[in-house]
Each structure stands twice: as structure tokens, then as C-alpha cells.
Amino acid sequence: MQHDRAERNVAERRVVFFSPDVTDVSTIKRADEFIDRGFVLTVLGFRRSRYNRDYQPRWRYFELGRTADGNYLKRLVLLLFSFVVIFRAREHLRNADWLYARNLDQLLLALFSRAFFRSRARLIYEVLDVQPAFVRPGLRGRFLRLIERTCLDKIELLVVSSPGFVRNYYEPTLGYRGKWFLLENKLHASTLPMLNAARERILKRPRRRGRYRWTVSYVGLIRGEATLELMERVARRLRDDVLFKFHGILTTVDPRKFAETIARNPNMVYCGEYVNPRDLGTVYSDTDFVWALDLENADNNSRWLLPCRFYEAGVLGLPCLAAREFELGRKIDALKVGWTFAPPFEEELTAFFLSVTTEAYEERRSRLLDLPTPAFIAGEDVSVLTHFMSGDSFDKDLHGVRPGERTEAMRLVAAGGTERQGMPRLTLEEGDHPASLR
């Protein structure tokens, strides 16, 4: 079905969102952000039996099947069978202005669907992680990179949650030179009242609670045998000083090994699963430091990403512990809102916990609390993205940028405030000093 996109207003823009998991918090957040800004949304997505299993979306969606992390063969088979369901959504695809695909398998599905149903929709590809399989040497890795490189030629925009993905993978490895946009893993604005209340409770609690001097919480997806082993070594050396708490679900950690680790260390406690964002205030209620030192894929993804827990902890005024020279570590060091460590991690962490003072802790936490809300809550950045998706006006807003700089001009971050005609004020990332586009 043909239609004239130029005459549509934002409220009539139609988006079909291809998601690997309709119950995932980041999917729910992105879907809600599209709806908040007036887009007509349809979600085509799979389900994973990880957490939030009983969630029922408030938006229109078509369930494509049930899948699992890392099982690429099963996911390929499911992609083929999902066309039975996608056929039922064919009118939504034909009428869509945009297809928004998260992860490569969903991008493939979106490309095939667009071709099969002769949709004129443009494509946006969102990446929250660069999976280890895509950076491995050998035939399998080269094949996956070839597929992704081919798909990148067909998209309008690449959306990443960390600039490290573009700087370390998409530009040098895949040779990507197209438009890209930074949309960090910030929290949805609807969570702010609840988290503000939780932050006030945290600020009023007594400094010393129970027998331990400090409490460190690892929240979210618990992954990486190397990370767990490091935490156990530090816990053993600080048995009477630091309590390590785990909240969430196990992913790439062996459940039996994890249970044995918890059982033999009295200062390591597993608190079970939780519902995000409903339970965040409770989960972090007795936390001093948030563990964000991820060693699972230390040469690539873990080094490049900016994890969700940084934003959750940040809005609550809780400093993170991270690896120095990782993307998150550089961000923390630049803002001076937490602590970073270099190998040997065990020695540095142990020395830190034995020497850090309450005064030093409060000074870092004060810096964290002084950061503006948009550092942790999505707003202007989402508005920039949806403005880009709203029509031809975005190109007109960039009329002052020379044609040869258009690709660079799409590397945008929100800089607070808005300008006339509702266009957020934009800045161009240029080293450590954003330069205005206007």
C-alpha cells in the first residue's frame, strides 16, 4: 500500500520494531519511548525465558516464538518459522515508515520482510552488545562479519549504546562509514519518581549497617566465570570487611559452581531474581558500591560497552567499581564518580577496600549526585532520534553543515534544552569537547 510520507505528521509515523525479546527491559523502554513521542508502534518479537516472563506488553505485538541466548542454530530455525507469524503482520510492514531492528538476526528478518512484502520503510539497526562470535577469528567469525557488513549497506542509521562499539568494531573492523547515533542505556523517564524516593531513603540510612564495613552489589545479568572467580578471591581476603550481594539471573555462569561459591563464602549472598524497574529501589537499598567490573569478554564487548547498572546506580547516587581503560572506566574516571582498577585486580581491589575512607566515599558520591538527571534518564537523546525519524525536516535542520560533513554530523548527542520548532539543540562529538553544529 503506497502513501505519501511527506504529508504525515509525527503522530502518524508508523514503526515496526523487530525485537529478540519482548519481555526485555530495554525493549519495553524503547517501545514506550516510541509511543511517548506519538509513533504508531507494532512489535514483532521473540520471548526468552530469562526474567520478566509473565510480562504482557501494552503495545501491539506479534510473538514470533521462544528463543535462548547463544543458541544460534535454534535462532536460525526460529527465524525461518517466524515468517508464518510475520505474514499475519504484513499490512503493518507494508504501511511502515520505519523498521527498527535490534541485533543482527532481527535485522535480517527486517530486510527479508521488507523485500518480501515490498515495503518502502527505511531501516534502523540498534546494537546493545557486540557478541563474541562476531569478533572471533576463523571461518565462522568471518562469515558473521560478512553478513553484518552486507546488511549495514542497507540501513539508514546505526544506533549504538556505547561509542566504543563504533570506535573499536564498526569502523575499523567492518569499515562502516555511515550515519550512527549514540543512545545510551539510560532509564525511562517514568522510573524517575520511584527512584528519586529510593535515593532519598538511601541518603538517610546510617553509614554503617551490620557487621560489614561496605556492601557491594552485582545487579542484573550475572555473567562471566572470570568475574565470579575474581569476586570470590577478593571476598576471601575481606571476609570480615566487605559483603558481596548478587541480584538477578545467571547467564554465562554455571549454576552449580555459583551455588558452591556462595555456600563456602559467608560474605557472598545471592538474593534472587527481581523485576526491573519495579524492584530497583529495594535491590540497591543497602548498597554502597555497585560492581561493574565485567571480565567476561575483556578483549572486546565487556571493554567497549556502557552497562545498564551504571545508569541505575547513578540516579540512586551509588558509585560503580569498573575496569580502568574500559569504556565505562574512562567515563567514570572523566566524571570522577566512582573507582576504576587495573590488573592485578585482586590486589588493587583488596587494597582499595582496606584503605578507602568514608570521606573519600562521600566526596565521590556527592559528585555523582550533582550530575544532571539527563546523565541517567533518557530524554533529549531519544527526542533527537525520533526527530530524525519524523521526516525530511531533520535534513533541513542540518542545512548549515557542509555535505561532506553530513556523516560526521549524525554523530550526535543531546546538549540540553531545545531550540525553535522543537528541534533539540545538537552537538557533534569531537574528542572530549562537543562542538555545536550551529
Side-chain angles (χ1 to χ4, degrees):
M1 179 177 180
Q2 296 183 353
H3 50 269
D4 187 356
R5 288 175 175 77
E7 295 180 357
R8 282 191 174 181
N9 57 40
V10 176
E12 294 174 324
R13 291 282 158 178
R14 293 180 169 87
V15 180
V16 175
F17 182 6
F18 287 81
S19 168
D21 184 4
V22 297
T23 68
D24 183 71
V25 174
S26 61
T27 292
I28 297 168
K29 176 180 65 176
R30 190 71 72 245
D32 286 345
E33 287 167 346
F34 283 136
I35 292 173
D36 292 344
R37 286 158 178 79
F39 285 80
V40 179
L41 178 70
T42 301
V43 177
L44 303 180
F46 296 88
R47 276 183 179 263
R48 296 183 187 178
S49 299
R50 300 197 301 188
Y51 58 89
N52 213 14
R53 301 176 187 87
D54 299 326
Y55 176 76
Q56 293 300 321
R58 69 183 180 96
W59 13 266
R60 181 196 298 115
Y61 84 105
F62 293 80
E63 185 173 318
L64 302 179
R66 292 186 177 268
T67 186
D69 289 331
N71 193 333
Y72 290 102
L73 179 59
K74 180 179 179 181
R75 285 163 66 173
L76 178 60
V77 173
L78 281 172
L79 286 178
L80 297 175
F81 280 100
S82 67
F83 265 93
V84 176
V85 179
I86 290 175
F87 186 78
R88 290 170 21 215
R90 60 191 180 279
E91 289 304 314
H92 300 288
L93 289 160
R94 286 171 179 160
N95 293 330
D97 297 282
W98 291 95
L99 304 184
Y100 194 97
R102 177 174 288 170
N103 296 354
L104 181 59
D105 48 1
Q106 304 305 303
L107 178 58
L108 286 168
L109 205 55
L111 283 166
F112 286 134
S113 299
R114 184 173 69 171
F116 190 81
F117 296 113
R118 298 182 180 179
S119 170
R120 297 170 56 202
R122 291 181 287 175
L123 267 166
I124 291 179
Y125 177 34
E126 184 177 50
V127 176
L128 302 184
D129 290 285
V130 175
Q131 297 299 331
F134 288 77
V135 295
R136 286 178 185 150
L139 184 60
R140 182 185 178 189
R142 290 198 298 271
F143 179 65
L144 288 172
R145 290 191 290 276
L146 174 62
I147 293 175
E148 189 170 25
R149 188 181 294 112
T150 303
C151 291
L152 286 170
D153 291 336
K154 304 179 185 305
I155 67 171
E156 188 78 16
L157 180 68
L158 171 67
V159 174
V160 293
S161 59
S162 169
F165 296 146
V166 176
R167 187 167 55 245
N168 296 289
Y169 176 68
Y170 284 100
E171 287 184 343
T173 303
L174 298 187
Y176 182 69
R177 296 294 181 267
K179 302 172 184 175
W180 66 272
F181 185 80
L182 176 62
L183 191 58
E184 297 177 48
N185 285 310
K186 298 177 184 178
L187 302 168
H188 190 268
S190 63
T191 65
L192 191 56
M194 174 185 65
L195 294 176
N196 278 342
R199 180 174 61 187
E200 292 305 312
R201 292 194 297 271
I202 291 171
L203 290 174
K204 291 176 181 177
R205 73 190 181 192
R207 165 74 278 282
R208 185 72 180 261
R209 305 172 305 284
R211 61 172 288 194
Y212 297 99
R213 184 172 176 226
W214 302 107
T215 298
V216 179
S217 292
Y218 185 162
V219 180
L221 301 179
I222 301 167
R223 58 191 187 185
E225 299 287 356
T227 305
L228 179 63
E229 290 168 2
L230 170 63
M231 295 182 76
E232 181 180 21
R233 292 196 302 272
V234 176
R236 283 180 174 178
R237 297 178 63 171
L238 301 169
R239 192 174 293 268
D240 298 321
D241 296 289
V242 180
L243 174 65
F244 291 86
K245 303 183 77 170
F246 297 81
H247 301 263
I249 63 168
L250 307 181
T251 54
T252 55
V253 172
D254 179 74
R256 189 164 81 171
K257 181 177 180 180
F258 180 78
E260 292 171 350
T261 300
I262 297 298
R264 63 176 171 257
N265 294 282
N267 60 332
M268 297 182 76
V269 179
Y270 177 52
C271 302
E273 298 181 21
Y274 64 96
V275 176
N276 188 330
R278 186 195 69 190
D279 299 335
L280 289 180
T282 302
V283 164
Y284 287 106
S285 62
D286 62 351
T287 300
D288 297 308
F289 300 97
V290 175
W291 185 276
L293 206 163
D294 178 7
L295 299 178
E296 183 184 26
N297 299 297
D299 293 332
N300 40 74
N301 190 59
S302 297
R303 182 175 293 271
W304 305 334
L305 58 74
L306 293 172
C308 297
R309 61 180 64 92
F310 169 74
Y311 305 95
E312 296 170 359
V315 78
L316 294 171
L318 299 171
C320 283
L321 308 176
R324 195 169 302 144
E325 297 306 317
F326 282 31
E327 194 71 32
L328 176 61
R330 283 192 288 268
K331 190 178 186 75
I332 288 172
D333 284 341
L335 297 171
K336 295 183 173 60
V337 294
W339 284 268
T340 63
F341 306 88
F345 291 116
E346 179 183 342
E347 300 300 326
E348 283 212 359
L349 284 160
T350 301
F352 165 76
F353 283 118
L354 291 175
S355 63
V356 65
T357 64
T358 300
E359 292 73 23
Y361 176 80
E362 293 298 339
E363 188 272 336
R364 292 292 169 99
R365 187 162 74 157
S366 178
R367 284 178 176 271
L368 191 58
L369 291 167
D370 286 342
L371 291 178
T373 299
F376 309 110
I377 302 294
E380 290 272 341
D381 41 5
V382 177
S383 296
V384 172
L385 174 63
T386 53
H387 190 95
F388 168 73
M389 297 170 65
S390 68
D392 297 332
S393 61
F394 194 93
D395 290 333
K396 295 175 183 176
D397 287 323
L398 297 179
H399 67 276
V401 180
R402 292 192 297 271
E405 297 175 343
R406 289 295 171 91
T407 297
E408 289 294 319
M410 280 305 303
R411 304 181 185 196
L412 304 172
V413 292
T418 57
E419 295 188 354
R420 58 185 176 275
Q421 298 178 344
M423 181 64 180
R425 182 159 55 91
L426 306 177
T427 61
L428 169 63
E429 290 185 315
E430 189 172 86
D432 295 327
H433 306 285
S436 177
L437 283 178
R438 294 179 175 168

